[in-house]
Amino acid sequence: MYSLLHKEEAAHEESIWSCAWGRIKVRPEGAEDENDDNSRDSTASKKDASGSQAEYRDFIVTGGVDDTVKIWDVLPDRSKFKLRNTFTGHSLGVVSVDVSTSGEVIASSSLDSSLCIWKAETGQLMNQISVGPVDLWTVAFSPCDKYIISGSHEGKISLYSVETGKAEQVLDPQNGKFTLSIAYSPDGKYIASGAIDGIINIFDVAAGKVAQTLEGHAMSVRSLCFSPDSQMLLTASDDGHMKLYDVAHSDVVGTLSGHASWVLSVSFSGDGKNFASSSSDKTVKIWNVAERQCLHTFTEHADQVWGVRYSPDSANVISVSEDKCINMYDCPPNVV
């Protein structure tokens, strides 16, 4: 059943604003035995594209007001985290972090108006991109891992090359406002951005322009994410509501309420059946997409919960808070 698996107290010296879940492929020696079913651990074990057995090691990335980015290895039994590395390239609080699909590269953005690109294993700073003041908030990788996207105070979306650190493309919504949240659809076709005025833009990446503008929220859109099949967009706002949009038709297919205050972060499960939300009401909630209902509420944080993320296998959720803690929860995929 739903439960708190681990609480990492004083994980940062100050508030933790962002988190991400990473998974890197580890090919064990002699991994040809397809029937070896012994590793149901940290590391999920499954066939890769070549048909051979591949193991995956899970890790967590957090960004804090203490200017640091930290990498935590998730122990195989999910009982606790182990701090592997601390990245110290930012001079002000870290606002956003993301991990590439491959698990090999980490991106972070800071109040110092810089975007840092790191090698996950070594902590080597690959690139540091400086942009204008207050011109950077949320960052996210493209599904192909070649680009990192970020928004600006004018609502423009920049696609930066991971390799060179240069802006390869800029998407301009015209008359846009400060971009608080950003997401790349898993199929690579769309980028969604949420602004401080509650407006959501969905950009067609290939066409380089706004495909749809959604006006469902009355206040700032703090977080948004696409469903794994790219068919739905989930948005969270300071108005206390979450909305599900049909991306193709830009229709609102559901409005979910239940938090007592601002909804700060949302994250779909990998199977698309559930999603998690976190709020300044100090709670984390798990929701069923089909039923549009709250399945469980976690109350283990002592202050507002800035970030929440589902694990790649949909079995766990992590959250980070103003209380300097990282919480990991057991969220069985099949419990309704």
Side-chain angles (χ1 to χ4, degrees), residues 310-325:
Y310 250 101
S311 63
D313 61 7
S314 305
N316 301 110
V317 167
I318 52 165
S319 60
V320 294
S321 165
E322 192 80 11
D323 66 11
K324 308 175 190 172
C325 296

Side-chain angles (χ1 to χ4, degrees), residues 109-244:
S109 60
S110 163
L111 293 173
D112 63 13
S113 299
S114 75
L115 191 166
C116 287
I117 305 172
W118 318 81
K119 282 196 173 173
E121 285 294 295
T122 62
Q124 177 192 339
L125 185 61
M126 298 163 63
N127 268 306
Q128 186 161 12
I129 304 158
S130 294
V131 297
V134 300
D135 231 8
L136 183 66
W137 205 252
T138 311
V139 291
F141 277 91
S142 63
C144 65
D145 287 349
K146 291 181 181 176
Y147 305 103
I148 295 165
I149 56 171
S150 77
S152 74
H153 73 282
E154 293 179 328
K156 293 178 182 176
I157 309 301
S158 297
L159 284 82
Y160 297 98
S161 163
V162 170
E163 197 174 332
T164 67
K166 292 186 167 56
E168 302 267 325
Q169 188 179 359
V170 177
L171 305 170
D172 188 353
Q174 309 295 329
N175 305 315
K177 294 288 193 295
F178 186 88
T179 304
L180 273 178
S181 51
I182 197 166
Y184 217 123
S185 65
D187 63 9
K189 292 180 181 176
Y190 299 105
I191 292 171
S193 66
I196 205 162
D197 60 357
I199 301 294
I200 297 155
N201 285 312
I202 299 179
F203 296 87
D204 181 317
V205 179
K209 62 183 182 182
V210 175
Q212 297 162 31
T213 299
L214 312 173
E215 301 181 3
H217 287 290
M219 296 170 72
S220 301
V221 178
R222 294 264 171 188
S223 179
L224 39 71
C225 60
F226 285 91
S227 58
D229 63 5
S230 303
Q231 301 296 306
M232 281 196 287
L233 179 70
L234 172 63
T235 63
S237 169
D238 284 2
D239 61 18
H241 301 301
M242 291 158 285
K243 290 185 181 288
L244 279 165

Side-chain angles (χ1 to χ4, degrees), residues 3-5 284 298 300-301 315-317 319 327-331:
S3 62
L4 176 70
L5 290 173
V284 170
F298 292 104
E300 284 84 2
H301 279 297
N316 301 110
V317 167
S319 60
N327 287 357
M328 181 164 62
Y329 313 95
D330 188 23
C331 297

